[in-house]
Amino acid sequence: MPAKVHTEKQSMSQSTSTPVLRTHNLAKTFALGFFRKKVHAVRDVSLEVKKGEIFGLLGPNGAGKTTTLKVLMGLIKPTAGSAEVFGRPAGHIVAKAQLGYLPESPYFYDYLTSLEFLVLVGELCGLRRRESRLRAEKLLERVELSHAANLALRRYSKGMLQRVGLAQALINNPQLVVLDEPLTGLDPLGRKQLRELIAELRNEGKTVVLSSHILSDVEALADRVAILVKGRMVASGKLSELLDTRVINTEITISSPPEALVKALAAHDITPRLVGDVAHFTLEQESATDEVVDLIRTHGARLMALIPRKESLEDVVVRQAAVVDAQSESPNAQTPNAKTGGA
Amino acid sequence: MRKVWAITLNTFREAIRNKVLYSLLFFAVLVIVASRAFGALSVNEEVRLTVDLGLAGMSLFLVIIAIFIGVNLVYKELERKTVYTLLPKPIHRYQFVLGKFLGLTLTLFIQTLVMAFVLAAVLWSQGAEVSGPIVRLMVLIFFEVVVVTAIAVFFSSFSTPFLSGMFTIGIFLLGRSVPDIRAVAAKITQPLLSSLLEGVSAIVPNLRYYFVTGADIKGQHVSVNGTFVDWGYVGTAAGYASIYTALVLLFAMALFSRRDFI
Ligand SMILES: Nc1ncnc2c1ncn2[C@@H]1O[C@H](COP(=O)(O)OP(=O)(O)OP(=O)(O)O)[C@@H](O)[C@H]1O
Ligand SMILES: [Mg+2]
């Protein structure tokens, strides 16, 4: 086995050209039960993650995020297409030497203490026992578990296990960190610390891939995302491209509008819905906002609320989920190739 | 090799932190000690009976422990999803299987030593000592257990503990009866059945090599208390065990390397 330093150097020079992680038309089909009923967990996913990126894999439950990551870790083999890590086929030992992986709801040897476990994992990464122990202790400090270092893992809480999971993913100082649902089980403080940790990793030039079905978690962290729905990649790109950052519309609520105001609004093609003496309406053009507000004020009506609505990631997922649903009903369904959030 | 060794040590650590193992070891020790009481029943032959019962108990319990831990070994890693953490580490899958097997073998070796010491202590209390034949039989018992372990690990790399246990016990029993199966196959006139039995006796390990007491080898009746096989025989038997074990492990590794961990 080549020395560790050596492989790291190789990757550095390599990764400027090759993407850290790449799938090409990746598909995974599970055959279940006696009748080998087919479950298409992932279909035709092509994505690329470049060095230094924080990449978010998004999608509702059962979208195929975990399956995609497992293929990339070499745990399962693709049914079709290819998966590469550092330019090598997924699961290659040289690729594995440079990555750290936190599985979904991780579970470890419960008869070990967290320190013993981390030392073991370090040794599996080729570290000597002494070096492994040093790193294990440092990492336990980093995830704030030093106080429980000698406690058997079976006595750990869910969130504590999640922290051990993070520590074991970092023990070989990997260039690529892959985290499957890293925020689940963490308390608010833990979440904040994880965000800081990911930011630190980015500053060290590491690449981070994280999956989540909670969009706001990824929204705050990721440079680029891919959205999976029912095994298909429905959108990918920079968040700013995916989301229409312009104001889509503005919802305005006023109380007891006088007759004159309703007429004036009608001149602007606006017919408010009246609920009691409260009127609601939606302004489609942002540019008209000032004018309308002036109208409201000169007519002496009271402005109760003015809410500019921007598109959120949720909107994108919901919209794309609807597209996929519609398509999977037609027999020759194709992958929607939406590059951006625009409909 | 350091990586395999890390898995070996961890498997050993898992085994010695397992309570079931201690109860099995406890019973084994109990049987060995009880064999002294049985020995005391027969006036002239007390040492002979202690030796026979003690060694039989030792063999039985080691096989039980090997099967019990062996069939759970890989399965537990899948069920508890620890493979998801371990296999993405820079190790080959075969190293994982090898480490697990070696860890279990190490555990069984220590157990054999413990039981051997207990038997030696019992014999010593009877004013007897551990003779050369007893040591050679203990070595044979250990190598038989190694073969059984490999078979258990093989089945456990693709099947549930219950099925693996059934298969392993089945092969163990067949292995102990290889000469009988061959004898039956020779007598049977039905050619298909005959070659089937021949085939079975060729595939399963011939565990009779390790179960020598009472057998006739080279025209001599073998007994730990009388004439016993020499070290040359033990060496050959150990060689056979090693080759058989290596082959079974290769199959286990190949299967384990191919499978999906979903
Ligand atoms: N072991 C398995 N056997 C059969 N089908 C499976 C298996 N694992 C996952 N699937 C199926 O594959 C699809 C994708 O599952 P996957 O776990 O990848 O989703 P996910 O995006 O990670 O969801 P979540 O947000 O709930 O973690 C689901 O329809 C699921 O039923
Ligand atoms: Mg998942």
Side-chain angles (χ1 to χ4, degrees):
Chain A
M1 213 140 292
K4 191 160 175 308
V5 192
H6 190 70
T7 53
E8 266 179 12
K9 262 193 195 139
Q10 264 183 345
S11 85
M12 297 274 209
S13 57
Q14 238 179 36
S15 50
T16 45
S17 51
T18 34
V20 170
L21 199 150
R22 199 173 89 97
T23 72
H24 185 68
N25 296 346
L26 182 72
K28 180 69 195 178
T29 307
F30 294 112
L32 279 188
F34 185 72
F35 295 104
R36 316 303 288 164
K37 188 180 175 313
K38 292 227 160 80
V39 177
H40 298 277
V42 174
R43 8 185 168 196
D44 199 25
V45 168
S46 302
L47 52 84
E48 265 189 31
V49 178
K50 290 186 219 56
K51 183 171 156 53
E53 268 190 322
I54 311 281
F55 189 86
L57 203 53
L58 282 168
N61 292 133
K65 306 180 293 290
T66 299
T67 306
T68 307
L69 294 182
K70 276 188 186 170
V71 171
L72 284 162
M73 296 305 107
L75 285 167
I76 55 185
K77 297 190 176 59
T79 311
S82 65
E84 283 168 18
V85 180
F86 294 110
R88 296 179 195 265
H92 193 288
I93 195 153
V94 174
K96 290 201 287 187
Q98 308 168 65
L99 71 81
Y101 171 57
L102 167 71
E104 188 174 31
S105 41
Y107 198 90
F108 314 113
Y109 297 114
D110 53 10
Y111 53 89
L112 296 181
T113 69
S114 56
L115 186 59
E116 285 171 332
F117 178 68
L118 291 180
V119 171
L120 167 69
V121 167
E123 286 178 312
L124 292 183
C125 292
L127 300 175
R128 291 187 181 284
R129 175 164 284 255
R130 180 194 295 260
E131 170 71 10
S132 188
R133 201 187 153 90
L134 278 177
R135 289 207 198 174
E137 279 166 354
K138 271 208 200 102
L139 279 168
L140 280 173
E141 225 165 86
R142 196 164 173 185
V143 298
E144 312 214 344
L145 280 178
S146 296
H147 62 284
N150 293 311
L151 193 66
L153 286 167
R154 90 183 86 90
R155 305 194 193 287
Y156 272 49
S157 72
K158 190 169 184 289
M160 287 163 86
L161 284 176
Q162 192 78 6
R163 288 163 189 255
V164 177
L166 270 171
Q168 64 81 28
L170 299 176
I171 194 120
N172 55 340
N173 191 22
Q175 290 302 309
L176 166 65
V177 184
V178 177
L179 310 169
D180 197 354
E181 308 267 3
L183 289 157
T184 43
L186 292 181
D187 56 22
L189 184 62
R191 287 164 165 264
K192 183 170 165 284
Q193 288 165 345
L194 180 71
R195 286 196 198 102
E196 285 165 5
L197 187 112
I198 291 175
E200 279 169 36
L201 290 173
R202 184 218 299 263
N203 291 342
E204 292 165 21
K206 308 280 167 67
T207 312
V208 181
V209 174
L210 63 152
S211 85
S212 180
H213 57 274
I214 301 165
L215 310 179
S216 57
D217 288 345
V218 175
E219 217 166 358
L221 285 171
D223 303 316
R224 245 166 20 100
V225 299
I227 300 177
L228 296 183
V229 176
K230 297 194 173 172
R232 292 177 199 280
M233 193 168 85
V234 294
S236 78
K238 285 213 171 77
L239 271 175
S240 54
E241 288 167 6
L242 231 53
L243 294 179
D244 213 337
T245 46
R246 286 167 304 161
V247 175
I248 304 173
N249 55 33
T250 310
E251 280 170 11
I252 297 177
T253 310
I254 49 181
S255 73
S256 30
E259 199 68 19
L261 175 56
V262 177
K263 272 193 192 132
L265 285 174
H268 281 83
D269 264 351
I270 297 167
T271 27
R273 278 170 292 123
L274 272 167
V275 182
D277 58 353
V278 177
H280 303 270
F281 60 90
T282 307
L283 208 58
E284 298 298 341
Q285 284 133 0
E286 200 190 356
S287 51
T289 312
D290 281 343
E291 211 178 315
V292 170
V293 169
D294 281 346
L295 268 180
I296 293 167
R297 291 171 59 102
T298 51
H299 284 85
R302 205 160 66 81
L303 183 62
M304 289 174 73
L306 186 149
I307 307 165
R309 283 226 331 119
K310 290 183 186 175
E311 189 175 52
S312 75
L313 223 38
E314 254 92 4
D315 292 324
V316 179
V317 170
V318 169
R319 192 180 59 218
Q320 296 295 348
V323 173
V324 171
D325 273 343
Q327 291 206 342
S328 49
E329 263 153 43
S330 71
N332 40 0
Q334 276 191 341
T335 311
N337 230 347
K339 244 323 189 202
T340 67
Chain B
M1 210 49 216
R2 198 185 310 148
K3 296 175 182 179
V4 176
W5 185 238
I7 296 171
T8 301
L9 279 188
N10 187 52
T11 308
F12 178 67
R13 193 159 43 177
E14 173 176 9
I16 59 172
R17 288 182 190 180
N18 187 338
K19 288 192 192 73
V20 183
L21 184 86
Y22 283 104
S23 19
L24 283 170
L25 185 61
F26 174 76
F27 275 111
V29 168
L30 207 66
V31 167
I32 294 170
V33 173
S35 65
R36 187 190 196 287
F38 276 104
L41 293 179
S42 53
V43 188
N44 290 322
E45 310 222 290
E46 34 180 53
V47 172
R48 197 180 75 83
L49 220 71
T50 305
V51 168
D52 284 351
L53 283 175
L55 287 171
M58 196 169 152
S59 169
L60 178 71
F61 274 96
L62 283 173
V63 167
I64 291 177
I65 294 174
I67 295 180
F68 179 80
I69 308 183
V71 298
N72 278 301
L73 207 60
V74 177
Y75 184 80
K76 227 194 257 168
E77 302 264 350
L78 303 182
E79 195 199 7
R80 299 199 178 163
K81 305 188 170 177
T82 42
V83 279
Y84 297 151
T85 312
L86 285 229
L87 292 183
K89 298 292 168 237
I91 54 170
H92 293 288
R93 286 190 184 179
Y94 72 80
Q95 292 177 315
F96 182 77
V97 177
L98 186 61
K100 292 251 108 188
F101 168 78
L102 290 178
L104 181 47
T105 307
L106 179 63
T107 310
L108 288 163
F109 181 68
I110 305 280
Q111 308 242 355
T112 310
L113 283 185
V114 171
M115 293 183 196
F117 275 117
V118 173
L119 186 59
V122 169
L123 286 176
W124 180 75
S125 77
Q126 286 177 312
E129 58 178 27
V130 180
S131 60
I134 293 181
V135 174
R136 293 202 284 278
L137 183 51
M138 284 174 174
V139 174
L140 288 177
I141 287 175
F142 175 70
F143 274 99
E144 180 183 42
V145 166
V146 170
V147 173
V148 173
T149 304
I151 293 169
V153 170
F154 168 75
F155 283 119
S156 126
S157 67
F158 62 89
S159 177
T160 62
F162 179 76
L163 284 180
S164 308
M166 289 298 132
F167 286 135
T168 311
I169 290 172
I171 290 195
F172 171 71
L173 294 178
L174 286 174
R176 279 272 179 106
S177 347
V178 164
D180 311 321
I181 299 176
R182 290 215 178 111
V184 173
K187 268 191 217 143
I188 286 180
T189 44
Q190 222 283 345
L192 205 69
L193 197 60
S194 172
S195 31
L196 184 75
L197 289 179
E198 288 282 356
V200 167
S201 67
I203 292 173
V204 301
N206 188 348
L207 296 179
R208 213 39 103 63
Y209 291 153
Y210 311 93
F211 187 71
V212 283
T213 312
D216 282 327
I217 288 173
K218 290 181 193 148
Q220 272 195 321
H221 184 77
V222 173
S223 157
V224 220
N225 305 291
T227 356
F228 196 68
V229 293
D230 56 14
W231 278 108
Y233 176 92
V234 174
T236 314
Y240 173 79
S242 308
I243 291 170
Y244 196 90
T245 300
L247 284 177
V248 171
L249 279 184
L250 281 180
F251 277 114
M253 289 170 184
L255 286 173
F256 192 76
S257 298
R258 269 176 185 66
R259 64 174 294 170
D260 268 0
F261 294 97
I262 53 175

